[in-house]
Amino acid sequence: MSRRLLAAMTGALSQLPPITLDKVLAESELQTRVDRKYLVPIATFVELVTRLRDRFGVLEIDGQRSFRYESVYFDTPSLGLYRQHVQRRRYRYKVRTRSYLDSGECSFEVKLKGNRSETVKSRMPYSLADRARLTEPAWEFLAEQLRTAYGVGIVDRLQPALTTTYRRSTLVDRVEHARMTCDVDLRFFDGRASVDVLPAAVLVESKTAGRAGAADLVLRELQVRPIQVSKYCVAAALLNPQLRANPWHRTLRQLTRSG
């Protein structure tokens, strides 16, 4: 992360009161939600936080407001789950482990596309040592989620496809049950190649129970429009240029444009 970007983010987030992890989990743990994603230039991000400072707080743990994340995504050898998303299949899903590197905690997560464009996320605690493989309890958990949501079984055995790392700050709306995550310093790698993205911007995700939240309305005022982006899908497309990636062509250019 560039020093300019780090200084700007740190200064912007210093305007917000701290919120504890317990409060985040108690008030804003949206597992069934609507996600709206934005690529926000750093100057616009500073203005966004300034306009929201009387309403939002920021997650703070041991004086830190930015945390290191790692996600390992699993797919079939032919990237069948990726192709489901390219084809906009009604029943599509992602499978990953999510590691919180600063605390050493980890979870296994299944993200399903639900009705009305909702994202339904289910997760279970996981061993950090197992984050790059699927244990038998993970297979059983995945199978149960697919049976319950879609009435189907696991089509094929899954294997690690790629890894993403980034730094995240989490903002919480103290008026409504909504959350906003702010990611920088993204890196994608798969054992053969790696790609660094977001040179001068913040990937903002607004997570609400349905209708647009306060952050979405401010971003609209700032003339920032939602984009179609999935970390896994854009990572797979950047690391495998031969893949069809029609839904994300514009986003791919934005993510890799130099700042």
Side-chain angles (χ1 to χ4, degrees):
M1 189 190 325
S2 72
R3 291 182 179 180
R4 183 177 70 87
L5 181 58
L6 177 60
M9 281 202 69
T10 301
L13 296 177
S14 69
Q15 304 177 69
L16 305 180
I19 287 184
T20 65
L21 180 59
D22 287 344
K23 191 171 182 63
V24 172
L25 295 177
E27 296 188 5
S28 304
E29 186 70 351
L30 298 175
Q31 297 305 314
T32 301
R33 68 203 187 201
V34 175
D35 295 343
R36 299 173 181 86
K37 303 179 183 182
Y38 307 85
L39 194 59
V40 184
I42 187 59
T44 306
F45 177 78
V46 172
E47 178 63 19
L48 169 67
V49 174
T50 299
R51 295 193 188 189
L52 294 172
R53 64 186 175 187
D54 294 331
R55 182 172 180 135
F56 276 68
V58 60
L59 173 64
E60 181 175 296
I61 302 174
D62 296 331
Q64 285 187 266
R65 295 187 168 196
S66 174
F67 306 94
R68 295 176 300 144
Y69 282 57
E70 179 190 271
S71 296
V72 179
Y73 288 88
F74 298 83
D75 207 331
T76 67
S78 62
L79 300 184
L81 303 191
Y82 170 85
R83 298 178 196 280
Q84 287 179 357
H85 286 77
V86 172
Q87 297 164 6
R88 288 292 187 263
R89 296 280 183 88
R90 180 180 178 185
Y91 297 145
R92 57 187 189 270
Y93 59 97
K94 299 189 190 81
V95 179
R96 73 186 181 199
T97 58
R98 161 72 58 82
S99 301
Y100 306 87
L101 299 180
D102 294 298
S103 67
E105 297 180 3
C106 183
S107 62
F108 174 68
E109 300 183 346
V110 181
K111 295 183 71 174
L112 306 164
K113 185 57 65 176
N115 297 324
R116 300 183 300 277
S117 298
E118 291 176 338
T119 298
V120 181
K121 183 170 74 172
S122 301
R123 64 186 179 188
M124 58 178 278
Y126 213 63
S127 166
L128 186 69
D130 289 329
R131 67 187 185 275
R133 73 183 190 94
L134 295 184
T135 62
E136 283 306 313
W139 284 112
E140 294 169 4
F141 182 82
L142 172 59
E144 178 60 26
Q145 299 305 313
L146 294 179
R147 275 195 304 267
T148 301
Y150 298 155
V152 300
I154 300 174
V155 175
D156 201 352
R157 299 294 284 183
L158 306 179
Q159 62 187 30
L162 59 87
T163 300
T164 69
T165 61
Y166 51 96
R167 297 195 69 91
R168 167 169 288 185
S169 296
T170 299
L171 280 58
V172 177
D173 188 332
R174 292 174 291 156
V175 179
E176 298 180 348
H177 293 292
R179 190 166 74 245
M180 183 171 73
T181 59
C182 311
D183 298 343
V184 294
D185 205 18
L186 270 73
R187 183 170 183 260
F188 308 143
F189 55 97
D190 64 1
R192 299 174 295 105
S194 65
V195 179
D196 296 309
V197 298
L198 291 192
V202 183
L203 180 59
V204 170
E205 299 185 30
S206 167
K207 307 169 191 292
T208 71
R211 64 183 176 85
D216 301 291
L217 299 178
V218 172
L219 284 163
R220 188 180 304 166
E221 292 173 1
L222 295 172
Q223 300 185 349
V224 180
R225 299 291 180 260
I227 61 172
Q228 290 189 10
V229 61
S230 151
K231 286 191 185 74
Y232 173 61
C233 291
V234 299
L238 288 170
L239 292 167
N240 301 275
Q242 77 280 4
L243 290 176
R244 188 164 70 88
N246 306 51
W248 307 290
H249 280 162
R250 182 179 179 184
T251 299
L252 292 172
R253 289 195 298 271
Q254 290 177 296
L255 285 172
T256 54
R257 188 168 53 204
S258 63

